[in-house]
Amino acid sequence: QLQASGGGLVQAGGSLRLSCQASGNTYPFSAVGWFRQAPGKQRELVAGISGGSTNYADFVKGRFIISRAGAKNTMYLQMDSLKPDDTAVYSCAADRSLARITTLLGGLNELDAWGHGTQVTVSS
């Protein structure tokens, strides 16, 4: 239902902008978010947004910005000052509740919509 794009290879200190688009005729989701998973590591929340509320992981505060387009079913993740530790597969998800996104313990398929990720690789 969701498709992330915009990943790639970038040098440390560089920037990337990820996009996430919902496919088909879907109602506007109340909340959307980005997750990431690096090889051998657990999935972690990167950022979430619902209305005027945003939630960022400490490790991206001041470097990443989550936003939504006017249609609400398109979202972005602007990533600046990238570090090699940011290397991961980034996935987007959407749900009726920001709290369900930020407190997710199970799989992304527990949310209302989710998609396959896009690879971000940051070289040192």
Side-chain angles (χ1 to χ4, degrees):
Q1 292 179 310
L2 300 178
Q3 181 62 53
S5 62
L9 173 64
V10 64
Q11 289 188 332
S15 299
L16 282 174
R17 189 192 193 204
L18 304 184
S19 299
C20 178
Q21 177 71 51
S23 61
N25 294 320
T26 58
Y27 60 88
F29 295 104
S30 176
V32 294
W34 288 93
F35 295 84
R36 73 183 188 186
Q37 186 165 19
K41 295 185 178 181
Q42 290 189 335
R43 186 196 68 237
E44 50 191 2
L45 174 71
V46 176
I49 186 171
S50 177
S53 297
T54 55
N55 185 305
Y56 290 96
D58 287 342
F59 53 78
V60 301
K61 285 182 179 177
R63 300 189 298 125
F64 293 8
I65 298 176
I66 186 172
S67 62
R68 302 179 72 168
K72 294 193 176 182
N73 278 354
T74 301
M75 62 172 143
Y76 305 97
L77 185 68
Q78 177 66 39
M79 306 188 296
D80 297 322
S81 302
L82 283 162
K83 306 174 182 178
D85 285 348
D86 294 321
T87 296
V89 174
Y90 285 71
S91 301
C92 52
D95 198 81
R96 73 201 78 157
S97 164
L98 181 59
R100 279 164 51 89
I101 289 177
T102 60
T103 61
L104 181 68
L105 295 178
L108 292 183
N109 57 3
E110 293 183 7
L111 300 176
D112 291 340
W114 60 281
H116 295 293
T118 183
Q119 176 70 47
V120 171
T121 303
V122 184
S123 63
S124 57

